[in-house]
Amino acid sequence: MATEESFLLDVREVRQETADAVSVVFEVPAEHEETFAFKPGQFLTLGVPSDQTGLVARCYSICVPPGEPLTVMVKRTVDGYASNWINDKLVVGDSVRVLPPAGIFTPKSLDADLLLWAGGSGITPVLSILRTALAQGTGKVVLFYANRDQDSVIFGDQLRTLAAEHPERLQVVHWLESVQGLPSQEQLRAFAAAYADRTSFCCGPAPFMKLVSDALRSLDFPRDRRHQEKFVSLGGNPFGDVEEVLAAQATLAEADDADEADEAPAAPAFAGPVAVEVELDGTHYAFDDWDGKEPLLVFLEGKGVPAPFSCREGECSACACMLLEGDVAMDRNEVLEAEDLADGIRLSCQARPLTEKLRITYNG
Ligand code: FES
């Protein structure tokens, strides 16, 4: 059923959402339910069969709240091999190799008042957050949802139903480029100004997220209330059995604009042994023999710790952990920014020791 780290899941349903987007529902066997438990806003890494490379790794966001059958939404991208394969070829009963849910684009509190932004297929993780907040939280939610035209709107019926069911808590504002043109930073700022005390989550194309980010900054939204999820390329192969993996477009968690990304710090030179304490899903682990020759993620896996990961290349953030004590340097960092680093977030797949003691948590 499972390779060393990935799992073969059966496709239970393929739902056409728009002309170029489908939702894929997976069957999760009872023995793997815990492994595939997810938080709102997280993503899955799928292995899509390819004649050229054997397998292509792609990350797709989960579009449902926890407790519902595991479902991702996949929109075709121009010349995107995997997204077109999934839209054209995947059928009920097929099996797909899948890595467990990962990502840090998830609210800390479901009771917070939320300001949600989605551009096109960026609605996917945002819908998961929105539905979870409405079902399990107490706060108010406003969604600004930008699309090219009416036919591009994904989950439109679902949003209408939710807005009708929660008139006091949910407001959905559609923006259609075909009608209103591209939104400007000033327009987004004017919209956000009424919600300046809320926690913002944004997912969509890079230019859209930049506009939103600039608008929020101009309103002095503090860092801990601004969250973004961006599209990056995976260069590595998280499934471990294919020589080469095509560049993957992934929906991956992060916290701000790519153009502000810091260079990765140089690899450290602290010769262990390092004492490592880890909190993960309510379990506490302690070791005293990390020598730093292998990244923290590999060390933990060798100890049997089910630490999250996807790309293993410092390109996603699936492996992100938070420092509680001590520090690490990273061989490579393509996703975390200066503010993330200042918050103590590190990529465990790239982490090498800087101190003789390290305490981290994956519990966010
Ligand atoms: Fe992707 Fe570490 S697993 S950055």
Side-chain angles (χ1 to χ4, degrees), residues 111-169:
D111 295 324
D113 290 336
L114 298 177
L115 169 57
L116 305 180
W117 310 84
S121 60
I123 188 65
T124 315
V126 171
L127 181 66
S128 173
I129 292 170
L130 181 153
R131 290 189 56 201
T132 308
L134 289 177
Q136 298 177 26
T138 55
K140 295 192 170 182
V141 181
V142 61
L143 167 65
F144 183 100
Y145 186 14
N147 279 285
R148 200 173 47 243
D149 53 35
Q150 188 62 46
D151 290 343
S152 311
V153 177
I154 310 170
F155 303 126
D157 289 345
Q158 204 175 140
L159 290 168
R160 253 190 305 280
T161 303
L162 287 165
E165 287 173 355
H166 301 275
E168 305 294 323
R169 295 184 57 204

Side-chain angles (χ1 to χ4, degrees), residues 147 175-185 187 208 211:
N147 279 285
W175 185 285
L176 298 180
E177 188 188 328
S178 59
V179 178
Q180 291 144 289
L182 287 170
S184 68
Q185 185 188 321
Q187 287 168 318
F208 176 71
L211 279 180

Side-chain angles (χ1 to χ4, degrees), residues 175-252:
W175 185 285
L176 298 180
E177 188 188 328
S178 59
V179 178
Q180 291 144 289
L182 287 170
S184 68
Q185 185 188 321
E186 291 68 34
Q187 287 168 318
L188 296 182
R189 185 182 194 280
F191 176 79
Y195 308 103
D197 58 346
R198 297 200 177 190
T199 301
S200 170
F201 287 84
C202 177
C203 183
F208 176 71
M209 292 203 299
K210 171 108 173 66
L211 279 180
V212 171
S213 178
D214 288 346
L216 295 180
R217 283 164 196 265
S218 74
L219 289 166
D220 292 330
F221 262 71
R223 169 69 180 79
D224 62 355
R225 288 199 280 112
R226 287 187 281 119
H227 305 275
Q228 290 198 350
E229 180 170 82
K230 72 180 177 186
F231 294 86
V232 301
S233 289
L234 290 187
N237 169 24
F239 293 98
D241 62 348
V242 182
E243 291 288 303
E244 201 179 325
V245 175
L246 298 176
Q249 188 181 49
T251 315
L252 297 166

